[in-house]
Amino acid sequence: MESKLFPGTLDSLDPIRQYVKELSQQAGLDKKATYRLTLAVDEIATNIILYGYEQAGRSGDIQVLSELSDAKLTVIFEDKAIPFDPTTKDLPDEEDFNKPLEERQIGGMGIWLTIKGVDEFKYEYVDDKNRNIFIMHVDPTKT
Amino acid sequence: MESKLFPGTLDSLDPIRQYVKELSQQAGLDKKATYRLTLAVDEIATNIILYGYEQAGRSGDIQVLSELSDAKLTVIFEDKAIPFDPTTKDLPDEEDFNKPLEERQIGGMGIWLTIKGVDEFKYEYVDDKNRNIFIMHVDPTKT
Amino acid sequence: MSFFITSEVKKVAIMTLSGELDSLSSREFQAEIEKVAAESPKDLVLLVENLSFMSSAGLRVLIFSKQKIGPDLSIYIVKPQPVIVETLEKTGLHHSVNIVDEYSF
Amino acid sequence: MSFFITSEVKKVAIMTLSGELDSLSSREFQAEIEKVAAESPKDLVLLVENLSFMSSAGLRVLIFSKQKIGPDLSIYIVKPQPVIVETLEKTGLHHSVNIVDEYSF
Ligand SMILES: Nc1ncnc2c1ncn2[C@@H]1O[C@H](COP(=O)(O)OP(=O)(O)O)[C@@H](O)[C@H]1O
Ligand SMILES: Nc1ncnc2c1ncn2[C@@H]1O[C@H](COP(=O)(O)OP(=O)(O)O)[C@@H](O)[C@H]1O
């Protein structure tokens, strides 16, 4: 398991993306898959920072763990912000997405893009920590 | 010689153009030649009406004569407005035409387009009348 | 990587001209130019696909536009018929206006 | 044949975005939208050829634009990279914006 710590502030989004992009490239993900994973981690990191820490009046870090094995690139975010399970959140449905812009809810697209973008997404709450788990399938001939 | 009379007012421009367009088509002029002759007569008629009559405080008609012979379509304008010979007017030169729009003189393009547009242009002053003569070469196989 | 953004609000006067533009009808054209000049547009876009005739009176209004609205005005003539392009070229006006198939930036 | 002319003056807000648009930089994007909103443009043209990343924070600002400037606002997204088109499509925003290679009318 590789591990890297980022402060839980919006300034970290750019370095988190760059870090995950490198992991993706090392894992041999193609351009599209790299972008989807990068987008997913950006969305979840944003939520941890804004809702989990800032809005809750807390501060803390995001620990980014990663592992390449079994033809999978696994990236795990660990944070001590308020407990939040994105997989239980009501996602917008097709009907919402077909509404004219001016009638749409602002928001709700981040978790949707995350779940639709990665190959697997899991959430756990372990040792007082949120664990957001992003998994991309890797073509083993490319690593 | 065919002949048709038009009052010397701007309302006549459209019927004069339509009349000359018909003459051109009867003479077998192609689209481009028809347009050039139509443009030329419009320009000269405008000048007769605005400068020869209106500005001079006169009123009168424009007599349009025409003839198709010797592989030429000849259109003649006769008017009793003030004497004016367009062929002696200083024409703008290339240098004027290359100036930026905001530095250009407004005007002076009508006689230029007339002379450049028809195959021959002549002016006579006969019997107290201006005679503006427009000649287009006709392909004899087409009439 | 960082993020950069620049913005500008541009006023564009769009006119659709059809039929025949001679020294009588050029008065209507001139009146429209005077009307939009009050709003100081940056671009003047003339949609002329269905304009079949334009005499020097039309050209005069083009020159007038630039003199009235200002030298920074960009004039676009969209889809002129070939005979009208010939007139613009013969009088050198094609140097000062943009003859295009579509207005875009 | 007669002559017809119609005219309209249109305000177009043109923004050039480059780099990466995330929830931090989307604040700058939103500030620009608020700035141009004061002039009530009819079209919002986003030149995004060099925008390499856009998260849902960028999409939020698009929705905000329409709600701030009004439902009549037409949004043009000019030359987006394929990954950004994918994001617009996944969230249904491609129904509400015009994805084009060139802004024109
Ligand atoms: N880590 C988190 N902690 C608390 N609430 C969260 C967290 N992540 C998301 N949420 C809630 O879920 C909602 C949907 O999130 P998301 O799909 O990213 O869209 P958006 O952030 O644009 O509203 C958020 O508005 C927020 O209320
Ligand atoms: N029939 C005419 N009678 C008197 N003056 C004329 C006549 N035709 C042309 N002119 C003069 O010649 C000038 C150039 O004419 P022209 O090339 O048609 O351009 P414009 O009419 O746009 O100025 C006019 O401005 C006018 O002073």
Side-chain angles (χ1 to χ4, degrees), chain B residues 47-48 51-52 82 84 89 107-111, chain C residues 60:
Chain B
N47 288 352
I48 295 167
Y51 307 118
I82 53 160
F84 178 81
K89 183 85 194 163
M109 295 177 289
I111 296 172
Chain C
R60 290 172 68 122

Side-chain angles (χ1 to χ4, degrees), chain A residues 36 39-44 47 86 109-121 134:
Chain A
R36 287 180 187 158
L39 178 60
V41 298
D42 177 277
E43 297 291 349
I44 295 300
N47 287 352
M109 296 177 289
I111 298 172
W112 169 267
L113 285 170
T114 300
I115 290 175
K116 291 273 155 182
V118 294
D119 292 329
E120 293 174 53
F121 181 78
F134 313 81

